Amino acid sequence: MKGYERINAITLSIMERAPSYHRWIYERIAPFFGENVLEAGCGGGNLTRFLLSHSNLGISDMNEEYLQIAEKKFRGHPNLREVFLWDIRQKPPENLSTPFDTIVCSNVLEHIDEDEEVLKNFYHFLPYGGRLILLVPALKGLYNRLDHELGHIRRYSRKELAQKISNCGFKILSLTYFNFFGILGWFINGTVLRRSILPEGQVRTFDRMIPVFIFMEKIIPIWIGQSLIAVGRKD
């Protein structure tokens, strides 16, 4: 196992202890869902457990081990329609039984050199009117050891992400920052302390604070964030 794959596996395990964070993501993106949702890059299923509250969900990953972990967790769930291996750098699979009209891709694109090729593959996969929902790390200047050890090739600026999505044919419906309060922790751990893994205790504490962060974001305008959430439509 490569170094960054090991770090990714450890980090996914640690982030399993942050259900409120993943519920927060779900609540932000759920209004954009169509009828049949595909999670492209499900990892170990940390976000999947919330996406399954939607009636028709498919999951895929390019890592067979992660896919097996997620499938084992949710096997038999009535809302899980399809589970399949897909290297999103390659052309979309054919002959799926579910006509997916929404792709959710969370914290995946930053790992891939050919990110625009992936976006083109998503475009060809979706029907006209279909939606792509992306969550990616934001703020290029925040890139640090945590990013490097996780195998992140980049963090995105708002302008860069918008341009790449548009270049691949999508009309942008929404592009917003997410998780302002995570910036400080990422900076201290990865830039100041040069840690390669987020401490589990900090992740648990952060997760307990999520209701406070949500409340504060309702009363304080948020102009920046640790991540970006983008929604594009295939017209």
Side-chain angles (χ1 to χ4, degrees), residues 153-194:
I153 294 168
R154 67 187 75 78
R155 299 183 73 89
Y156 288 87
S157 69
R158 196 173 187 276
K159 180 179 179 181
E160 177 190 10
L161 186 61
Q163 185 173 22
K164 288 185 174 182
I165 293 171
S166 298
N167 286 348
C168 295
F170 290 99
K171 177 181 179 181
I172 296 174
L173 302 181
S174 176
L175 180 54
T176 57
Y177 284 107
F178 173 73
N179 189 16
F180 167 78
F181 300 97
I183 294 174
L184 182 61
W186 195 267
F187 175 77
I188 290 174
N189 282 294
T191 302
V192 178
L193 301 178
R194 294 190 54 77

Side-chain angles (χ1 to χ4, degrees), residues 46-207:
N46 292 338
L47 181 59
T48 311
R49 69 176 66 252
F50 298 101
L51 297 178
L52 278 167
S53 61
H54 191 73
S55 58
N56 298 301
L57 180 70
I59 60 173
S60 71
D61 205 284
M62 59 195 296
N63 183 307
E64 188 170 4
E65 184 177 349
Y66 290 161
L67 191 63
Q68 288 173 350
I69 291 170
E71 182 179 21
K72 184 177 180 180
K73 282 182 182 177
F74 306 114
R75 184 183 296 131
H77 194 288
N79 293 343
L80 184 59
R81 303 299 189 197
E82 303 237 18
V83 179
F84 59 94
L85 195 66
W86 179 19
D87 183 342
I88 55 177
R89 297 168 298 184
Q90 308 300 323
K91 293 188 181 301
E94 298 179 355
N95 302 319
L96 295 175
S97 60
T98 305
F100 294 105
D101 55 22
T102 307
I103 292 176
V104 173
C105 186
S106 175
N107 287 322
V108 175
L109 203 62
E110 65 273 11
H111 293 271
I112 300 174
D113 274 312
E114 314 91 335
D115 57 348
E116 287 196 66
E117 290 302 312
V118 170
L119 293 174
K120 290 175 185 176
N121 288 337
F122 288 160
Y123 184 86
H124 292 304
F125 180 88
L126 289 167
Y128 284 102
R131 295 185 176 187
L132 170 64
I133 302 170
L134 297 171
L135 186 146
V136 298
L139 308 177
K140 288 179 175 292
L142 191 58
Y143 189 97
N144 58 31
R145 188 178 181 189
L146 285 170
D147 291 286
H148 177 77
E149 295 295 327
L150 281 166
H152 292 178
I153 294 168
R154 67 187 75 78
R155 299 183 73 89
Y156 288 87
S157 69
R158 196 173 187 276
K159 180 179 179 181
E160 177 190 10
L161 186 61
Q163 185 173 22
K164 288 185 174 182
I165 293 171
S166 298
N167 286 348
C168 295
F170 290 99
K171 177 181 179 181
I172 296 174
L173 302 181
S174 176
L175 180 54
T176 57
Y177 284 107
F178 173 73
N179 189 16
F180 167 78
F181 300 97
I183 294 174
L184 182 61
W186 195 267
F187 175 77
I188 290 174
N189 282 294
T191 302
V192 178
L193 301 178
R194 294 190 54 77
R195 287 177 168 147
S196 57
I197 298 175
L198 287 169
E200 184 174 340
Q202 285 188 27
V203 170
R204 289 178 182 272
T205 299
F206 177 82
D207 198 61

Side-chain angles (χ1 to χ4, degrees), residues 205-229:
T205 299
F206 177 82
D207 198 61
R208 288 195 292 268
M209 294 292 292
I210 294 296
V212 177
F213 299 154
I214 293 173
F215 173 77
M216 292 184 68
E217 287 198 357
K218 289 179 180 178
I219 61 175
I220 302 172
I222 301 301
W223 304 107
I224 202 168
Q226 185 184 4
S227 301
L228 281 161
I229 295 177

